[in-house]
Amino acid sequence: YDLLAIPTDASAGEIKKAYYKQARKCHPDRNPDDPEAHQKFQALGEAYRVLSSDQLRAYYDKHGRDDEDAAKGGMDAEMQMEMAKMFFAVMFGGDKFEPYIGQLGVSNVVDQLVSDATGASATPEGESGLDLDEIKATQHKREVQCAVDLAERLRPLAEGDIMERVNKETAFREFVDKEVAEMSRSTYGQPLMHAVGSAYTLQAQIFLGNETSLLGIDGGIASMKQSMRQKGHYFDVASKGYKSISAVKSMSELAEEAKMEAVKDLEPPTEDELKAKYESYVAMTIKELRGMCNEAELDTTGCLEKADIAKVLMKHDEKLFHDRLTAATDGMDAGEGVEMSPEAQKKMQDAMEQSLPTFLETMVAASLLDVEVTLKAAGKKVLDDTSVEKEVRISRARGMLMLGEAMSKAMGATPAARGEIEAKNLFEGTMMKTMAKAQGQEVHDDDNVYDIHNQAEAEAAE
């Protein structure tokens, strides 16, 4: 409540307005000279997250926040894992794509890594709970579900007698056009549609080529195209992945340098500095000195003169210095964080922002490969389904071809849908949409960071 400068009985509208107003004031971009601007902005966002949710606000009003919850950003391990999944779903296509591509494989890995980080799934020995067999099983379930959903999507066209199927083709094309129009407004909608479209088109061409062309030649050609395209994706992911690893290594080296510098800066005070400090204490009144001791909870029993109290404070200062030095060196040994200087924090923040485009390119490339590999398997299941007649499978393949070709030609309706957005803005916008979704607010696939920013500016100006 203090962070947002509002009373404890503030309405939902007042909370939202106060957040936008305070966020505009303390945004890091508006305060480039303030090394703590980023932390302030994060704390403000956390305050808004808690107070804008009726359940979290009621819990906070009753219990406050303990240190463990605060360390985790107010979220338990399960909530953090759900947020990780939701983040990737919002960033890549939103709800509209989920029935087609399921939950991206990369989000399952991140889900497990978040679980490890929060201690929710680590082994007693502290090792990662990442289970490759479980990931494979999850991927298989995803492929089966995508196949079931695709078969259902194609059912109106594929089933019924021949005349019914001919009459339904027009309706199916209208359905396809409507789906493409809606998907074209989702974040990264264009590259995702091209990935889905390519997977459907090639798998349909392989099946139809094998069934209808002379000696299955057309099917063999389509199969070669599919193999070459997939190999190209693997090479692209490996190339971008190497760049991401290099960026992480550079940031790690930068952090290590900052830690070493932080410990190096902890030089003990000189004799002249100690003398000056003592004299500054002696120059104070006894009341002021006792006030400082009370605040630090220091025992001054038996101290009648200012010099005696000053010695207690000097001893306390010496202890504080040694505690800081011990914490810094222990942190270095344990691999834990050491408090960095404002300059070092700025360097780390700049390095992170410079690396965001590289990380984003890797995530996009890996996600598109994941989509094509998954839908290749799902499409094959749909077309190899022997529980239906061969004519039905051929009709399914033709429907997949129609859907695939339409998606392969589709264009994004917005810059975000075409992937034409700065990495920093995309991550910030995605996080804001994820938080809004987690709080039960209505979020649309075509909501983008610019709309959110403009709304924040307008409401803060009221």
Side-chain angles (χ1 to χ4, degrees), residues 98-119:
E98 189 169 347
Y100 285 84
I101 65 177
Q103 186 182 97
L104 290 173
V106 66
S107 72
N108 291 322
V109 175
V110 171
D111 171 17
Q112 187 59 60
L113 293 177
V114 170
S115 179
D116 290 345
T118 58

Side-chain angles (χ1 to χ4, degrees), residues 49-62:
R49 185 188 74 81
V50 172
L51 297 184
S52 60
S53 166
D54 291 340
Q55 290 181 326
L56 293 178
R57 184 180 182 182
Y59 183 88
Y60 172 79
D61 288 345
K62 185 175 181 180

Side-chain angles (χ1 to χ4, degrees), residues 321-365:
F321 171 78
H322 283 293
D323 288 346
R324 287 176 59 202
L325 184 61
T326 300
T329 52
D330 287 350
M332 287 284 290
D333 294 337
E336 299 173 353
V338 177
E339 185 176 353
M340 299 181 186
S341 66
E343 294 79 9
Q345 291 181 29
K346 181 69 165 56
K347 283 184 180 179
M348 285 295 295
Q349 184 175 347
D350 290 344
M352 173 59 78
E353 290 183 4
Q354 290 172 7
S355 300
L356 280 180
T358 301
F359 295 151
L360 183 58
E361 286 179 1
T362 304
M363 289 168 59
V364 171

Side-chain angles (χ1 to χ4, degrees), residues 219-291:
I221 293 173
S223 181
M224 288 176 61
K225 288 181 180 178
Q226 186 184 64
S227 177
M228 290 175 64
R229 181 179 174 87
Q230 194 163 306
K231 287 178 181 177
H233 277 313
Y234 277 118
F235 179 80
D236 188 42
V237 170
S239 176
K240 289 181 169 64
Y242 177 78
K243 292 180 181 178
S244 292
I245 292 172
S246 298
V248 170
K249 184 178 179 181
S250 296
M251 285 192 291
S252 176
E253 291 173 351
L254 194 61
E256 195 65 27
E257 290 176 7
K259 290 177 183 178
M260 295 297 294
E261 193 65 29
V263 174
K264 183 180 177 182
D265 288 342
L266 290 175
E267 296 289 345
T270 64
E271 289 294 330
D272 290 340
E273 289 172 338
L274 290 173
K275 183 179 179 182
K277 186 71 172 178
Y278 177 77
E279 290 176 351
S280 70
Y281 283 146
V282 173
M284 296 180 181
T285 65
I286 289 183
K287 185 177 180 180
E288 289 173 330
L289 292 172
R290 289 195 183 280

Side-chain angles (χ1 to χ4, degrees), residues 30-82:
R30 291 176 177 263
N31 300 273
D33 298 328
D34 184 358
E36 298 181 358
H38 186 67
Q39 288 86 344
K40 291 177 182 176
F41 189 69
Q42 284 185 322
L44 192 67
E46 172 62 12
Y48 177 65
R49 185 188 74 81
V50 172
L51 297 184
S52 60
S53 166
D54 291 340
Q55 290 181 326
L56 293 178
R57 184 180 182 182
Y59 183 88
Y60 172 79
D61 288 345
K62 185 175 181 180
H63 303 287
R65 283 174 58 194
D66 57 34
D67 292 339
E68 184 177 358
D69 283 339
K72 295 178 181 178
M75 294 184 282
D76 59 22
E78 183 178 354
M79 187 183 297
Q80 290 193 57
M81 287 187 281
E82 288 303 315

Side-chain angles (χ1 to χ4, degrees), residues 17 20-21 34 78 122 129 164 173 181 186 197 205 207-208 214 230 234 252 255 266 268 288 315 324 411-412 424:
K17 185 175 180 180
Y20 285 142
K21 184 176 181 180
D34 184 358
E78 183 178 354
E164 280 184 342
R173 287 190 182 278
S186 299
Q205 287 176 343
F207 180 83
L208 292 173
L214 179 64
Q230 194 163 306
Y234 277 118
S252 176
L266 290 175
E288 289 173 330
K315 187 173 291 188
R324 287 176 59 202
M411 301 296 292
K424 181 182 177 183

